[in-house]
Amino acid sequence: MNLLDLSFKRTSYEAKVQTSIWNECALGAAVLTYPKLHGSLDKPGEYYAQLRQRASSRLEAELQFCQEHNTWKMLLQLLHSLSCETIESFALKAHALSREEFRYLVLPYLETALEPARRRAAEGDAAGAEEMMDACRGHRFFPQLIHDVMTMDADTLRDHLIALLQLWDAEFMEREREITAAVLKRDAEEKEAWLRTLSPEEAVLRATGVEYAPEPGVQQVLLIPHIIYRPFTVEASLPQTKVFYYPVSETSLPGLRDPYEPPARLVQIYKALGDDKRLRALKLIAGKDRTLKELTDALGLGKTTVHHHLAVLRAAGLIRVKGGSYAWNPQSLQHHERELNEFLTGSHDQ
């Protein structure tokens, strides 16, 4: 067949940096309600256990509901849509939404072609919800999330999201708001400086550890710094937009940094590579995309053990989830080689 290609293929995208205390709160709820991840985060697992023990009975009830239904994802989507500077304005705007519009905003965005189904589902159409669930059947929690949005009372769910944000802010964020805001602002300024001299793709790679190539339908990438989920990058999708909640750099954290203290992300990758089983898994994934079952069978290890090794590789940016499989990020080694060189050749004042 002879093909005359007259199509338009996107070769780049716009990258923007945004900061938000409220996104930090929502990600905090995500971290605290996913205990399996605690051993792979910057802070020790005991820190998160103690944080949850400090929660009031009201906040604990909201966190438990969040853990059962992954409502932190709904909260993040709502925060993006309402774009509020205060919790009071967020609550007012959330209460002003009709039940149908509220459901539409908290249902996950999947792709442009499924937006009509998302809209119908928000209006109570079971067939629209089923179409969405079929499309994301392999996702870890989206099908259940869609089911929950459809079956829960919209007003009850709305009150939960508002209460979760209000209580997290009052109990965990209020005392650290100024410091947190300063760290996020400092990191955002660093990434904005990168965007003035680097291509969007290179800036995204350096900030997130993810090689994100332009794709149809995505016009912009939002880079949103976070502290609570370090060292993980959390990826999300919105209409015409890819979102990366990325970990702030070491230099953005408060206090004077010891020039001989290696960056956490650098330590993360060499820890990830310093294990023979993880290297075997990485070689398998580098050969072709692999599912968890394929890796479990090939490595001869238990599912839980393999999942842990994959979490470490993902935290280091060496692999990413692609559909229902794990894919290699071939640019990650080059990225971290540069970070190692910058660390070794940086200031030596001591």
Side-chain angles (χ1 to χ4, degrees):
M1 177 185 292
N2 295 324
L3 174 66
L4 179 61
D5 188 354
L6 300 178
S7 64
F8 170 75
K9 295 179 175 63
R10 185 169 292 280
T11 58
S12 190
Y13 46 75
E14 178 190 17
K16 294 173 58 179
V17 186
Q18 289 185 358
T19 63
S20 170
I21 285 288
W22 314 128
N23 285 336
E24 186 76 9
C25 293
L27 288 171
V31 166
L32 216 58
T33 56
Y34 191 22
K36 290 182 179 179
L37 198 64
H38 292 176
S40 303
L41 296 165
D42 263 13
K43 295 184 182 295
E46 295 78 14
Y47 169 83
Y48 302 98
Q50 292 169 5
L51 197 63
R52 188 147 184 179
Q53 288 172 3
R54 280 172 42 198
S56 66
S57 58
R58 288 182 61 208
L59 178 54
E60 173 55 33
E62 303 298 347
L63 287 170
Q64 186 58 41
F65 190 83
C66 176
Q67 186 163 341
E68 292 169 2
H69 303 287
N70 289 297
T71 58
W72 59 269
K73 172 60 176 172
M74 305 179 200
L75 181 55
L76 278 175
Q77 292 213 166
L78 200 57
L79 286 166
H80 277 292
S81 300
L82 301 185
S83 185
C84 301
E85 293 187 4
T86 67
I87 290 182
E88 291 74 21
S89 62
F90 171 75
L92 286 171
K93 288 186 178 182
H95 280 302
L97 295 169
S98 67
R99 291 182 178 87
E100 292 76 16
E101 190 63 21
F102 171 77
R103 279 194 292 264
Y104 173 76
L105 293 179
V106 298
L107 282 167
Y109 170 78
L110 300 179
E111 58 176 310
T112 302
L114 287 165
E115 280 295 271
R118 183 185 177 201
R119 181 61 71 180
R120 295 198 312 273
E123 294 169 353
D125 179 51
E130 190 64 34
E131 185 178 346
M132 290 184 70
M133 287 189 283
D134 284 342
C136 62
R137 192 64 67 184
H139 193 276
R140 187 172 60 84
F141 65 84
F142 272 8
Q144 185 62 46
L145 185 148
I146 294 166
H147 173 270
D148 292 345
V149 172
M150 295 296 294
T151 56
M152 290 179 190
D153 176 71
D155 292 332
T156 299
L157 183 55
R158 179 179 2 221
D159 289 343
H160 158 70
L161 296 180
I162 293 170
L164 180 62
L165 186 64
Q166 288 174 330
L167 291 168
W168 186 281
D169 177 62
E171 297 186 26
F172 296 147
M173 181 60 73
E174 188 172 13
R175 288 174 293 179
E176 301 179 358
R177 185 179 290 113
E178 288 188 10
I179 294 175
T180 300
V183 171
L184 297 178
K185 181 175 183 291
R186 188 158 54 243
D187 198 87
E189 289 172 347
E190 177 186 60
K191 303 312 183 281
E192 286 166 352
W194 289 2
L195 287 170
R196 289 193 289 270
T197 59
L198 302 173
S199 69
E201 292 88 345
E202 179 64 18
V204 169
L205 176 60
R206 290 190 64 177
T208 69
V210 176
E211 181 191 13
Y212 181 65
E215 59 179 319
V218 176
Q219 297 181 6
Q220 74 168 351
V221 170
L222 287 182
L223 296 172
I224 301 177
H226 70 75
I227 304 168
I228 191 70
Y229 226 113
R230 293 179 82 243
F232 280 88
T233 292
V234 181
E235 181 178 341
S237 295
L238 296 172
Q240 299 181 328
T241 303
K242 180 68 70 174
V243 184
F244 292 105
Y245 306 91
Y246 71 88
V248 300
S249 65
E250 294 288 322
T251 54
S252 297
L253 294 173
L256 294 174
R257 180 173 169 266
D258 179 354
Y260 290 86
E261 180 69 24
R265 287 172 65 88
L266 193 60
V267 173
Q268 193 84 19
I269 191 169
Y270 286 107
K271 279 187 177 179
L273 295 172
D275 181 276
D276 63 324
K277 296 179 180 61
R278 285 197 284 274
L279 280 173
R280 288 178 62 201
L282 186 58
K283 184 170 178 62
L284 286 165
I285 297 168
K288 69 172 186 176
D289 296 356
R290 306 271 185 167
T291 65
L292 178 60
K293 184 179 187 309
E294 288 173 337
L295 290 166
T296 300
D297 292 343
L299 294 169
L301 299 171
K303 182 178 178 181
T304 302
T305 301
V306 174
H307 191 271
H308 167 73
H309 286 309
L310 293 172
V312 174
L313 292 170
R314 285 188 67 194
L318 290 162
I319 62 172
R320 60 183 183 273
V321 176
K322 184 179 176 183
S325 302
Y326 292 89
W328 184 37
N329 181 4
Q331 298 300 316
S332 57
L333 293 178
Q334 177 185 350
H335 170 56
H336 289 289
E337 180 182 351
R338 181 175 55 249
E339 283 191 335
L340 177 61
N341 185 63
E342 289 174 356
F343 168 65
L344 294 176
T345 60
S347 175
H348 297 79
D349 295 332
Q350 293 185 0

